[in-house]
Amino acid sequence: MLSRTADHLYWMSRYIERAENTARLLDIAYQTSLQPQSADESEQTWRSLISISELNSLYGTKYSTINARHVMEFMVADESNLSSIFNCLRAARENARAVRGALTTEVWETMNQTWLEFRRLLREGALQRDPSQFFEWVKYRSHLSRGVTVGTMLQDEAFHFIRIGSFLERSDNTARLLDVKFYRQEQTQGEHDAARDFYYWSAVLRSVSGFEIYRKVYSNVIQPDKVAELLILRPDMPRSLSHCITRMQANLKRVANPQSGETLRRVGRLEAKLAFGSIDEILTEGLHPFLDGFLAEVSDLGDRISKDFLV
């Protein structure tokens, strides 16, 4: 496969995954903001969302205050924010258009229709009218594109590069979410009662579609260390770090070339670290240092994948 084609497929899948992840975070932040809370707590909820994407400085150049309306506008429709849903869906569609011949008709039409429909919804004020329904639509379109890809594409190199991009982006987002949320909880330790803690960690789990899974796996009250274990070490949790890295390794093996040996070794080492790690060891080491190291390794893998396979 031409490296240019692989590059477009890889970034197409990363952008559509990023749009879904952003919609998930915005939806949970919006739902949380509807609960009784102080102005400081509300601001911190939206500030943490900006921090996850490392967009504090860019946001500060456009808005002087942090509130729900400004953050949603910035993260959904702002063309100057390269991580906004607007730019992610546009970039996913443009990458798909560039390699139209490598995609099935169903995949291309899904990507194209998602972009066209998204612009129409923005023009008609769907975000302002019902933010939750709007974010559900973004998530649904991402699910649809992923399902159409798995259900209609030949599982050749093109398919594997799409999957590599999806799992790399998802693992990065889950790690960022955990890092910011656990750090915030540490900063406010002792300020919340048990009921509020339950809603807080429920929101974290719901943002990765993990609430029902947590109940099924642990059959217990929601505890922060169990949330961390589920989202880091459970290989059967679709959005966990372990699952994402395992699937990324499997797809990388299918497209391996003579110069990708070191990349495969590093992703294999990271997969083994997650497969044989324990949450007690991670918490003893410190969750923030662990996640910080994980994000650095994922960033390194992204750079190496680009050098080994892409433009």
Side-chain angles (χ1 to χ4, degrees):
M1 172 178 288
L2 291 174
S3 60
R4 182 177 64 252
T5 301
D7 185 73
H8 284 302
L9 294 168
Y10 170 82
W11 282 106
M12 177 194 75
S13 62
R14 287 200 68 169
Y15 280 124
I16 199 73
E17 183 74 30
R18 190 175 300 177
E20 178 189 344
N21 290 331
T22 300
R24 286 175 174 275
L25 294 172
L26 285 167
D27 191 25
I28 293 302
Y30 174 70
Q31 304 253 2
T32 302
S33 71
L34 300 179
Q35 299 173 9
Q37 58 185 310
S38 68
D40 287 342
E41 286 176 323
S42 178
E43 180 179 327
Q44 185 57 44
T45 296
W46 294 104
R47 185 184 299 277
S48 66
L49 197 149
I50 299 295
S51 299
I52 288 174
S53 304
E54 298 183 353
L55 294 169
N56 304 69
S57 57
L58 178 60
Y59 181 90
T61 63
K62 301 181 72 68
Y63 303 100
S64 58
T65 59
I66 293 180
N67 57 48
R69 184 173 64 85
H70 288 163
V71 173
M72 284 196 289
E73 181 180 316
F74 178 71
M75 295 299 294
V76 171
D78 195 321
E79 295 187 46
S80 67
N81 173 14
L82 297 181
S83 293
S84 69
I85 295 176
F86 178 94
N87 278 322
C88 287
L89 294 182
R90 178 169 63 180
R93 188 259 186 187
E94 288 305 307
N95 277 283
R97 185 178 62 84
V99 288
R100 172 67 185 83
L103 303 173
T104 60
T105 299
E106 290 88 346
V107 173
W108 159 247
E109 288 182 348
T110 299
M111 291 289 181
N112 189 47
Q113 186 61 33
T114 296
W115 167 240
L116 297 175
E117 186 73 5
F118 175 79
R119 288 197 303 169
R120 182 186 68 79
L121 290 173
L122 277 185
R123 287 196 304 268
E124 295 178 356
L127 175 62
Q128 294 76 19
R129 186 166 56 251
D130 190 341
S132 282
Q133 185 177 6
F134 181 84
F135 298 137
E136 281 298 323
W137 179 88
V138 175
K139 288 188 284 182
Y140 169 76
R141 296 302 298 188
S142 176
H143 298 328
L144 182 61
S145 68
R146 189 158 49 246
V148 168
T149 298
V150 173
T152 68
M153 284 193 64
L154 181 68
Q155 296 193 12
D156 57 3
E157 287 187 331
F159 176 85
H160 294 306
F161 278 112
I162 290 173
R163 301 297 278 168
I164 289 167
S166 292
F167 287 118
L168 184 67
E169 186 67 33
R170 188 182 300 177
S171 66
D172 180 88
N173 181 264
T174 299
R176 290 180 186 277
L177 169 70
L178 276 171
D179 198 18
V180 170
K181 294 298 184 181
F182 270 86
Y183 176 75
R184 179 191 168 192
Q185 192 69 3
E186 289 174 1
Q187 295 298 102
T188 58
Q189 192 169 11
E191 296 180 17
H192 299 294
D193 57 27
R196 184 161 295 185
D197 283 343
F198 172 82
Y199 285 114
Y200 180 85
W201 292 113
S202 295
V204 172
L205 288 168
R206 291 185 192 281
S207 70
V208 291
S209 296
F211 183 78
E212 291 85 1
I213 293 175
Y214 181 96
R215 290 295 201 185
K216 184 175 183 178
V217 170
Y218 297 105
S219 302
N220 202 346
V221 296
I222 297 177
Q223 300 172 326
D225 59 331
K226 297 299 184 184
V227 174
E229 182 179 57
L230 180 71
L231 298 185
I232 295 174
L233 299 177
R234 289 286 305 197
D236 49 358
M237 165 60 184
R239 306 190 80 83
S240 74
L241 306 187
S242 177
H243 180 83
C244 291
I245 297 302
T246 298
R247 300 311 305 154
M248 186 168 69
Q249 180 191 34
N251 283 279
L252 274 171
K253 285 182 178 179
R254 301 295 295 273
V255 297
N257 62 27
Q259 64 194 47
S260 65
E262 179 61 18
T263 301
L264 282 172
R265 188 188 73 82
R266 295 195 181 204
V267 74
R269 183 181 63 186
L270 182 56
E271 192 273 337
K273 182 179 179 180
L274 294 167
F276 297 103
S278 75
I279 194 60
D280 291 335
E281 291 176 348
I282 292 173
L283 294 177
T284 299
E285 171 192 342
L287 192 62
H288 176 69
F290 174 83
L291 292 171
D292 208 34
F294 177 86
L295 286 168
E297 291 188 74
V298 167
S299 178
D300 176 65
L301 286 174
D303 292 339
R304 289 184 171 277
I305 289 169
S306 294
K307 292 177 182 177
D308 292 345
F309 304 105
L310 313 179
V311 174

